[in-house]
Amino acid sequence: RRAAAAGAAGVIVPDLPLGEDETIRQTMSEAGLAVVPLIAPTTTGQRRSEICRIASGFVYLVSSVGTTGERAELPAHLKELVEDVKSKSEVPVAVGFGIGSAEHAATVGRQADGVIIGSKLVRIAAEAGPAGAAEAVGSFMAETAAAVASARTGVR
């Protein structure tokens, strides 16, 4: 309830397996919050369908196995993975893990409904320090938003 009162729209609960999430999902729903499920590249097709069936808010599609963090390149299988999950989902599909540049975000933005960037922003903020973090993050996000918009419209 406090999260909803503060303006949150949903929650992500990592490592919350399908079938063990009913109480949390019900409690959050009663508070007006979506519980955003995660789908890994190793999640089977049937399991993807089950996860998409209960999804609210959006589906968080993890782009690659391993720990989160910036990657030098996006996984080769990502386009097919996004297409499969989107075909099963009635809510938007956003991709995260490994998005380390505006170019990565643009590529993902052409395929998915949303792009999730975490580790890169944490690194930018840490490198800029308290006095410059907001400006540095804002600059990267402006560049990234422009790249995604350009990729979606085809205008450069």
Side-chain angles (χ1 to χ4, degrees), residues 69-75 98-101 104:
E70 301 168 60
R71 304 283 199 279
E73 54 189 52
L74 295 171
I99 314 299
S101 68
H104 284 170

Side-chain angles (χ1 to χ4, degrees), residues 19-32:
E20 296 180 26
D21 61 344
E22 292 87 3
T23 302
I24 289 174
R25 193 170 302 287
Q26 180 65 33
T27 300
M28 295 298 168
S29 178
E30 289 170 2

Side-chain angles (χ1 to χ4, degrees), residues 39 58-63 74 77-87 89 91-97 99 103-117 147-149 151-153:
I39 293 179
F58 66 94
V59 172
Y60 188 133
L61 179 57
V62 177
S63 69
L74 295 171
H77 69 275
L78 187 58
K79 183 176 188 219
E80 292 77 19
L81 182 60
V82 171
E83 288 172 355
D84 182 63
V85 174
K86 283 182 75 168
S87 75
S89 181
V91 297
V93 175
V95 175
F97 274 51
I99 314 299
E103 293 77 23
H104 284 170
T107 298
V108 171
R110 278 191 294 273
Q111 300 165 1
D113 301 306
V115 181
I116 301 166
I117 303 171
V148 171
R152 287 188 171 171
T153 63

Side-chain angles (χ1 to χ4, degrees), residues 134-145:
E135 184 177 335
V137 167
S139 176
F140 174 77
M141 290 309 301
E143 173 190 353
T144 300

Side-chain angles (χ1 to χ4, degrees), residues 109-131:
R110 278 191 294 273
Q111 300 165 1
D113 301 306
V115 181
I116 301 166
I117 303 171
S119 297
K120 172 76 172 188
L121 296 179
V122 171
R123 184 176 61 76
I124 289 171
E127 288 174 355

